[in-house]
Amino acid sequence: MKDESHSYLKRGFDLVAGVLGFVALSPVMIAVALAVVATMGMPLFFVQSRSGLGGKAINLLKFRSMTDARDANGQLLPDDHRTPSVGFLIRRYRVDELPSLFNIVRGDISLVGPRPLLKTSEANVTGGMRRLSVKPGLTGLSQISGNTLLSEHEKLAVDLYYIANRSMAFDLRIVLQTLMTVIHGERRDEALISRALALMAMDTAR
């Protein structure tokens, strides 16, 4: 009953946050869309299949941040060679993920949860159904604890730590810390990472 009431409360929170986010951030989204089209052309969006709740495939919507530039053999150039300055900028401030508000409103993802990953990712394979037992999120504990500075093993541990300790209060704290991370950049939370790794090691030993 507690999990069910939390689920309803979280879904209501997601709907309100998603709709208000669209309204409040629409000027930013329009500006980003114009910048993407002006520097990279169409298409405007990048759609990628990720794992949702229970492993169900979802199509995650993001602003495009890379071109399709290829070498003489027709192979795609490395990511950094295909990412213009505008692409680096919108990634740095995470505004490329604003279209994913649509995924929140539709119910594919939550505002807060483990990051939706590719089906073949190590965390999805190793974490199994434990990691997929909750909806993925636009932001999450891994994103505020180091994100790209974490190893795949650390990300999995932090995601499982979130699942074991999730609550609406925890979600609100993650949302606030996400804003600080966007402003100040990514930093490793060594204390949290250590607790998460210890918890995962204990669960594995059982």
Side-chain angles (χ1 to χ4, degrees), residues 27-37 44 63 86 90 95-96 98:
V28 177
M29 295 177 71
I30 291 172
V32 173
L34 292 174
V36 170
V37 172
L44 176 60
F63 281 122
V86 167
I90 65 175
V95 291
D96 59 321
L98 292 181

Side-chain angles (χ1 to χ4, degrees), residues 50-115:
R50 301 287 183 96
S51 293
L53 178 64
K56 178 182 177 181
I58 58 173
N59 291 319
L60 197 65
L61 189 64
K62 300 173 67 173
F63 281 122
R64 191 160 67 101
S65 59
M66 292 191 297
T67 69
D68 293 324
R70 298 173 183 270
D71 61 22
N73 297 318
Q75 300 296 315
L76 285 172
L77 294 175
D79 289 358
D80 57 341
H81 286 80
R82 295 189 292 123
T83 308
S85 56
V86 167
F88 282 114
L89 190 62
I90 65 175
R91 281 189 183 184
R92 163 62 182 82
Y93 292 102
R94 301 190 182 182
V95 291
D96 59 321
E97 299 185 5
L98 292 181
S100 296
L101 289 169
F102 172 75
N103 292 104
I104 293 177
V105 173
R106 196 166 66 174
D108 296 330
I109 64 174
S110 289
L111 181 61
V112 179
R115 184 68 180 161

Side-chain angles (χ1 to χ4, degrees), residues 96 105 168 175 186 197:
D96 59 321
V105 173
M168 286 306 302
V175 170
E186 296 173 349
L197 289 171

Side-chain angles (χ1 to χ4, degrees), residues 5-194:
S5 61
H6 175 265
S7 178
Y8 284 124
L9 182 61
K10 189 176 177 85
R11 179 57 185 150
F13 178 73
D14 286 341
L15 278 172
V16 172
V19 172
L20 291 181
F22 264 125
V23 174
L25 296 170
S26 57
V28 177
M29 295 177 71
I30 291 172
V32 173
L34 292 174
V36 170
V37 172
T39 58
M40 289 177 274
M42 297 296 285
L44 176 60
F45 299 111
F46 172 69
V47 182
Q48 189 174 51
S49 179
R50 301 287 183 96
S51 293
L53 178 64
K56 178 182 177 181
I58 58 173
N59 291 319
L60 197 65
L61 189 64
K62 300 173 67 173
F63 281 122
R64 191 160 67 101
S65 59
M66 292 191 297
T67 69
D68 293 324
R70 298 173 183 270
D71 61 22
N73 297 318
Q75 300 296 315
L76 285 172
L77 294 175
D79 289 358
D80 57 341
H81 286 80
R82 295 189 292 123
T83 308
S85 56
V86 167
F88 282 114
L89 190 62
I90 65 175
R91 281 189 183 184
R92 163 62 182 82
Y93 292 102
R94 301 190 182 182
V95 291
D96 59 321
E97 299 185 5
L98 292 181
S100 296
L101 289 169
F102 172 75
N103 292 104
I104 293 177
V105 173
R106 196 166 66 174
D108 296 330
I109 64 174
S110 289
L111 181 61
V112 179
R115 184 68 180 161
L117 302 175
L118 296 171
K119 283 184 173 293
T120 55
S121 70
E122 179 185 346
N124 271 350
V125 174
T126 307
M129 292 307 297
R130 284 188 61 199
R131 192 180 184 283
L132 298 172
S133 64
V134 300
K135 276 187 183 180
L138 180 60
T139 187
L141 191 58
S142 290
Q143 282 67 52
I144 65 169
S145 302
N147 199 23
T148 60
L149 305 178
L150 302 178
S151 68
E152 290 301 310
H153 184 68
E154 289 171 334
K155 285 181 181 179
L156 174 60
V158 171
D159 285 340
L160 295 180
Y161 181 90
Y162 165 78
I163 292 171
N165 296 278
R166 66 190 186 278
S167 68
M168 286 306 302
F170 200 5
D171 283 2
L172 289 173
R173 196 187 96 190
I174 290 172
V175 170
L176 292 176
Q177 286 189 242
T178 298
L179 298 177
M180 299 304 296
T181 299
V182 169
I183 295 171
H184 298 294
E186 296 173 349
R187 299 175 183 175
R188 286 174 58 91
D189 185 339
E190 299 295 350
L192 185 281
I193 295 167
S194 295

